[in-house]
């Protein structure tokens, strides 16, 4: 097996420093990279667009490690991009520090634009020839999510078959009206580079259980694409929400401010009226509110950060009749 670190974008910074976006490329020894790409045997794993979403860091590590353990089974190209927003990761910042900019709102970029637009355009160029891309995100620091893939309904027909093989628990097909065309995934899908958006876990943390689950799914996809010749684990049968109107999902919001103590974990099945959590007042010892499930269903999102204000999102429930 051949492996190399490739710099796909580099920008000169003050004080003799450089900003570099790099990838780790792995492919079979003595194989021609260009021929492999033309054969459709290239997968890209991307994370770190948001610097406070760290779940993908473990996925990058575990994927590389497993491939290196059995390099003779690799039959295509695996490109791993662990840090699309290295400044954000260094500063534990969702956006690009100093620019107050969400990197996932500047694609496809511009060769003649500012530094960030230029970097985005170089990333897009490097993705050309990818058969399948996984854009891995975590939730924010406030919420925990079950491993899921979110698909724009415009791209459902060609993405859903891959999503079903990715070993996630939930596939959420959402309406086109909620999509921002400046995101990384939308920009790639609109250019015929199939891209799945993965959401899992919680911001600023790593959940190895979820990382291993997704890596199993990546190997399943690699097998499907002819990139991996070894045995792969059986994948989960995910719950799929196809209602692009959003009526499948019930949102729980805080009726008051206070400290939230959760009573149910994400992934739990709930009945209407079940207590999902409670809001308390530490100063007076008061129970301010019980947060109850408004419908029967599956709690796939739960509040993780305990301080809440009126209107804060506490959880999401997929309605039971949609399971």
């Amino acid at each position: 097996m051949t492996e190399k670190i490739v710099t796909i974008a580099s920008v000169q910074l003050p004080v003799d420093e450089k900003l570099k976006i790099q990838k780790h490329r792995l492919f079979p020894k003595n194989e021609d990279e260009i021929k492999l790409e033309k054969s459709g045997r290239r997968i890209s794993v991307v994370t770190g667009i948001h610097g406070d979403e760290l779940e993908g860091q473990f996925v990058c590590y575990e994927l590389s490690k497993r491939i290196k353990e059995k390099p003779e089974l690799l039959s295509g190209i695996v490109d791993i991009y662990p840090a699309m927003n290295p400044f954000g990761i260094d500063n534990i910042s969702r956006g690009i520090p100093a620019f107050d900019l969400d990197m996932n709102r500047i694609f496809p970029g511009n060769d003649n634009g500012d530094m960030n637009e230029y970097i985005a355009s170089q990333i897009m160029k490097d993705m050309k020839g990818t058969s399948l891309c996984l854009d891995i995100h975590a939730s924010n620091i406030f919420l925990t999510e079950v491993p899921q893939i979110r698909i724009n309904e415009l791209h459902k027909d060609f993405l859903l078959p891959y999503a079903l093989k990715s070993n996630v628990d939930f596939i959420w097909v959402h309406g086109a009206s909620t999509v921002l065309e400046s995101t990384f995934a939308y920009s790639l899908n609109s250019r015929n580079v199939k891209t799945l958006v993965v959401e899992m876990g919680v911001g600023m943390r790593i959940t190895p259980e979820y990382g291993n689950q997704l890596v199993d799914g990546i190997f399943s996809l690699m097998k499907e694409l002819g990139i991996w010749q070894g045995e792969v684990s059986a994948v989960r049968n995910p719950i799929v929400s196809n209602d692009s109107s959003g009526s499948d999902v019930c949102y729980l919001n805080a009726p008051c401010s206070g400290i939230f103590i959760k009573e149910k974990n994400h992934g739990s099945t709930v009945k209407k009226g079940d207590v999902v959590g409670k809001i308390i007042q530490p100063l007076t010892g008061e129970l301010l509110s019980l947060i109850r499930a408004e419908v029967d269903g599956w709690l796939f999102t739960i509040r993780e950060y305990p301080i809440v204000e009126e209107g804060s999102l506490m959880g999401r429930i997929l309605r039971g009749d949609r399971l």
Side-chain angles (χ1 to χ4, degrees):
M1 183 189 74
T2 301
E3 60 177 317
K4 58 184 181 180
I5 303 299
V6 181
T7 298
I8 62 172
S10 178
V11 177
Q12 187 68 46
L13 301 174
V15 200
D16 294 326
E17 293 182 324
K18 281 188 177 181
L19 170 62
K20 292 182 179 180
I21 310 298
Q22 296 181 307
K23 70 178 180 182
H24 182 196
R25 167 163 283 197
L26 305 99
F27 59 96
K29 190 175 182 180
N30 301 322
E31 290 273 3
D32 185 282
E33 295 174 68
I34 296 176
K35 288 183 179 179
L36 285 173
E37 286 194 13
K38 287 182 177 179
S39 70
R41 287 179 287 161
R42 177 188 171 194
I43 191 169
S44 295
V45 177
V46 172
T47 192
I49 286 179
H50 292 139
D52 62 351
E53 298 177 358
L54 304 177
E55 298 282 7
Q57 301 301 302
F58 180 82
V59 173
C60 293
Y61 158 77
E62 183 66 20
L63 179 59
S64 293
K65 180 176 76 70
R66 292 194 200 180
I67 292 173
K68 290 180 181 181
E69 288 171 353
K70 297 181 179 179
E72 71 279 2
L73 299 178
L74 185 65
S75 54
I77 297 173
V78 179
D79 281 337
I80 301 172
Y81 304 74
M84 289 299 203
N85 177 10
F87 282 170
I89 292 175
D90 288 346
N91 289 275
I92 321 176
S93 169
R94 179 177 176 82
I96 302 173
F99 292 90
D100 191 26
L101 183 65
D102 186 338
M103 188 177 188
N104 210 25
R105 300 293 183 270
I106 60 173
F107 288 97
N110 185 341
D111 280 350
N112 299 313
D114 65 18
M115 180 186 80
N116 300 302
E117 292 175 318
Y118 169 76
I119 288 172
S121 71
Q122 298 308 297
I123 291 170
M124 291 294 294
K125 288 179 182 178
D126 197 69
M127 289 291 154
K128 187 177 181 180
T130 293
S131 302
L132 181 67
C133 175
L134 281 87
D135 177 20
I136 302 173
H137 294 261
S139 186
N140 54 38
I141 65 170
F142 303 104
L143 303 167
T144 300
E145 304 272 6
V146 299
Q148 61 194 264
I149 285 175
R150 298 180 183 177
I151 297 175
N152 173 359
E153 65 175 347
L154 295 175
H155 306 140
K156 171 187 169 183
D157 290 345
F158 60 84
L159 289 183
L160 187 56
Y162 292 103
L164 291 168
K165 294 181 172 67
S166 62
N167 203 38
V168 295
D169 297 319
F170 181 39
I171 299 171
W172 191 356
V173 180
H174 53 77
S177 61
T178 65
V179 174
L180 293 172
E181 296 183 5
S182 55
T183 63
F184 177 65
Y186 184 93
S187 296
L188 286 178
N189 280 313
S190 64
R191 288 161 176 75
N192 299 315
V193 177
K194 300 179 182 69
T195 304
L196 298 171
V197 177
V198 180
E199 299 270 357
M200 65 181 188
V202 62
M204 296 189 186
R205 298 292 184 270
I206 287 176
T207 313
E209 174 189 354
Y210 289 167
N212 281 310
Q213 177 181 336
L214 183 60
V215 172
D216 286 345
I218 293 172
F219 274 98
S220 169
L221 292 167
M222 288 165 57
K223 181 85 169 182
E224 179 76 12
L225 294 168
I227 296 171
W228 186 252
Q229 300 304 313
E231 295 297 319
V232 297
S233 301
V235 298
R236 304 183 183 205
N237 185 25
I239 296 168
V240 181
S241 171
N242 279 305
D243 182 13
S244 58
S245 69
S247 60
D248 278 2
V249 177
C250 172
Y251 294 81
L252 304 178
N253 296 96
C256 59
S257 300
I259 303 297
F260 176 68
I261 309 297
K262 67 180 180 182
E263 300 284 342
K264 296 282 188 181
N265 290 321
H266 60 298
S268 300
T269 300
V270 296
K271 294 290 187 181
K272 183 176 180 179
D274 283 355
V275 176
V276 173
K278 57 189 177 184
I279 299 176
I280 62 171
Q281 170 52 267
L283 178 62
T284 62
E286 290 179 85
L287 172 63
L288 300 178
S289 179
L290 290 175
I291 307 301
R292 297 183 182 274
E294 298 177 7
V295 295
D296 295 350
W298 183 55
L299 184 69
F300 67 92
T301 304
I302 189 64
R303 182 82 179 187
E304 188 72 26
Y305 191 73
I307 299 174
V308 298
E309 297 180 356
E310 184 178 352
S312 295
L313 181 62
M314 315 301 291
R316 299 187 187 99
I317 299 173
L318 182 67
R319 296 177 187 273
D321 57 354
R322 301 295 192 266
L323 296 177

